[in-house]
């Protein structure tokens, strides 16, 4: 079974356990490498959105930032802690982040600066939101939107995922069909959007995760769906397993079952995103930085 896990969250963001507690658990499960990938979500005025009120109620509003300096200041001490842990434990711990991609010049400038300051080892591309007419919708807002808007928003969701993949900035894409969580995007009419997305991912050369969180929610399949997994196999896109663990009990949870389903769908190309020839924005950025100094 896969002996690494690169999609994990910790306390201080929206995880329940500390970095140490997570890594002790990972060692127990025999993992050789782990990576923490807390949320890096920057959107001006995010505290005024509908979903922010729920985040405050749930106590996880710290994952959202209104500007890049705020997000950088949350990550800097967390990354420093990982550097310290790497000195004291014989398991390799990588510095990751789960980034929500927003297609604007401001965002690009901000993320470039954040990556050059924080120097993460890898970045995960995620689409937790759909932006429409200046409103930010999360998947629950999507579910609650009027039926006449819903299809348009789901279509927008897939466009976002494609834009993120097309940026070539990420090492892998998280939970491709996250909207499945609220029961959206399951019908066959979405297969075309999914295929276009898989083609974009293929062209960008990034990996896709098979995410085992909410495995029990659906009981039949992880993210992405079997329909998408068959396309991943068809295009021979490399995949990895992710537990998306927000607490130590979930480290590697569902890996065996997810791998079995993936293989049933024809997936053979399993890989480690940190052992591939890198093609991330950070690598390009660090080259620029080397040229400057
Ligand atoms: Zn996520
Ligand atoms: Zn996550």
């Amino acid at each position: 079974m896969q002996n690494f896990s690169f999609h994990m969250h910790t306390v201080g963001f929206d995880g329940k356990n500390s970095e140490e507690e997570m890594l002790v658990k990972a060692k127990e499960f025999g993992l050789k490498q782990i990576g923490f990938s807390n949320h890096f979500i920057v959107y001006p005025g995010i505290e005024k959105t509908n979903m922010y009120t729920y985040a405050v109620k749930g106590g996880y509003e710290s994952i959202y930032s209104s500007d890049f300096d705020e997000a950088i200041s949350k990550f800097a001490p967390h990354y420093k802690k990982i550097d310290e842990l790497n000195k004291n434990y014989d398991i390799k711990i990588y510095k990751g982040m789960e980034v929500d991609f927003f297609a604007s010049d401001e965002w690009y400038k901000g993320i470039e600066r954040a990556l050059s300051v924080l120097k993460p080892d890898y970045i995960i591309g995620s689409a937790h939101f759909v932006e429409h007419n200046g409103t930010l919708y999360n998947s629950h807002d999507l579910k609650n939107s009027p039926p006449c808007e819903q299809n348009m928003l789901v279509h927008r969701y897939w466009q976002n995922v494609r834009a993120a993949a097309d940026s070539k900035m990420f090492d892998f894409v998280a939970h491709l069909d996250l909207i499945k969580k609220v029961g959206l995007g399951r019908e066959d009419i979405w297969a075309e959007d999914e295929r276009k997305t898989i083609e974009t991912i293929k062209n960008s050369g990034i990996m896709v995760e098979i995410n085992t969180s909410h495995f029990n929610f659906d009981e039949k399949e992880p993210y992405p769906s079997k329909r998408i997994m068959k396309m991943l196999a068809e295009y021979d896109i490399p995949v990895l397993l992710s537990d998306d663990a927000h607490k130590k009990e979930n480290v590697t949870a569902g890996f065996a079952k997810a791998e079995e389903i993936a293989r049933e769908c024809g997936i053979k190309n399993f890989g480690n995103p940190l052992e591939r020839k890198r093609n991330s924005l950070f690598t390009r950025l660090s080259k620029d930085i080397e040229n400057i100094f």
Side-chain angles (χ1 to χ4, degrees):
M1 203 177 76
Q2 183 180 290
N3 63 1
F4 58 84
S5 181
F6 294 145
H7 189 158
M8 300 198 288
H9 299 272
T10 61
V11 78
F13 296 86
D14 64 346
K16 295 276 179 285
N17 291 105
S18 67
E19 293 87 343
E20 289 98 322
E21 289 168 329
M22 297 295 275
L23 81 84
V24 165
K25 207 64 183 174
K27 270 175 72 80
E28 260 176 58
F29 286 122
L31 299 188
K32 302 284 182 240
Q33 306 170 36
I34 58 166
F36 294 114
S37 59
N38 282 302
H39 291 284
F40 192 98
I41 304 170
V42 180
Y43 188 82
I46 197 158
E47 70 286 352
K48 294 186 198 83
T49 59
N50 181 37
M51 45 127 208
Y52 194 85
T53 359
Y54 292 95
V56 173
K57 275 185 203 153
Y60 57 89
E61 73 275 20
S62 64
I63 64 171
Y64 303 118
S65 299
S66 260
D67 61 61
F68 282 90
D69 285 327
E70 189 187 340
I72 291 169
S73 70
K74 289 172 188 168
F75 269 75
H78 167 59
Y79 276 5
K80 204 172 160 204
K81 194 165 177 188
I82 296 175
D83 287 338
E84 287 303 311
L85 291 169
N86 263 319
K87 291 178 198 156
N88 300 319
Y89 285 90
D90 59 346
I91 179 169
K92 178 68 193 168
I93 313 152
Y94 289 102
K95 293 179 274 193
M97 47 171 72
E98 182 178 1
V99 176
D100 271 89
F101 176 87
F102 294 104
S104 76
D105 284 351
E106 276 312 293
W107 190 84
Y108 257 93
K109 276 182 211 143
I111 194 73
E112 279 191 347
R113 185 164 64 83
L115 295 177
S116 64
V117 172
L118 293 169
K119 301 184 171 53
D121 296 306
Y122 67 97
I123 46 177
I124 307 178
S126 280
H128 296 101
F129 307 102
V130 173
E131 197 185 9
H132 178 62
N133 284 345
T135 303
L136 200 61
Y137 298 79
N138 69 6
S139 32
H140 295 284
D141 298 326
L142 243 66
K143 179 69 188 166
N144 298 328
S145 63
C148 58
E149 273 183 20
Q150 211 168 57
N151 276 5
M152 181 272 295
L153 291 170
V154 172
H155 182 58
R156 274 280 167 104
Y157 168 83
W158 284 111
Q159 283 178 325
N160 280 353
V161 180
R162 288 198 285 277
D166 208 27
S167 75
K168 299 185 174 64
M169 166 182 306
F170 302 104
D171 294 276
F172 61 92
V173 190
H175 43 62
L176 260 186
D177 50 356
L178 183 72
I179 45 174
K180 188 166 79 180
K181 180 173 163 181
V182 291
L184 295 175
R186 307 225 51 153
E187 301 85 355
D188 285 341
I189 52 160
W190 297 108
E192 196 187 318
D193 250 311
E194 291 167 1
R195 182 169 290 275
K196 268 193 205 166
T197 308
I198 297 298
E199 281 169 2
T200 308
I201 288 170
K202 177 71 183 177
N203 290 333
S204 70
I206 56 180
M207 290 180 72
V208 170
E209 74 170 16
I210 296 175
N211 185 309
T212 61
S213 72
H214 286 270
F215 219 121
N216 297 326
F217 167 84
D218 188 280
E219 287 179 24
K220 290 191 287 289
E221 56 183 22
Y223 306 111
S225 67
K226 289 179 186 172
R227 182 171 67 204
I228 298 179
M229 280 200 221
K230 285 175 189 160
M231 293 184 206
L232 291 170
E234 190 187 324
Y235 288 82
D236 195 31
I237 289 168
V239 305
L240 71 153
L241 305 171
S242 284
D243 47 48
D244 202 351
H246 286 68
K247 54 182 180 188
K248 60 182 191 216
E249 291 76 20
N250 289 348
V251 175
T252 74
F255 272 16
K257 183 71 186 160
E259 185 177 335
E260 189 189 313
I261 295 172
R263 290 195 187 277
E264 275 167 23
C265 292
I267 292 176
K268 295 187 189 80
N269 193 351
F270 293 86
N272 179 332
L274 294 174
E275 286 169 5
R276 302 175 82 216
K277 204 164 163 280
R278 303 290 306 284
N279 191 24
S280 67
L281 176 67
F282 178 64
T283 311
R284 298 203 301 274
L285 267 175
S286 47
K287 275 202 197 96
D288 288 345
I289 292 165
E290 277 163 26
N291 290 341
I292 295 165
F293 299 105

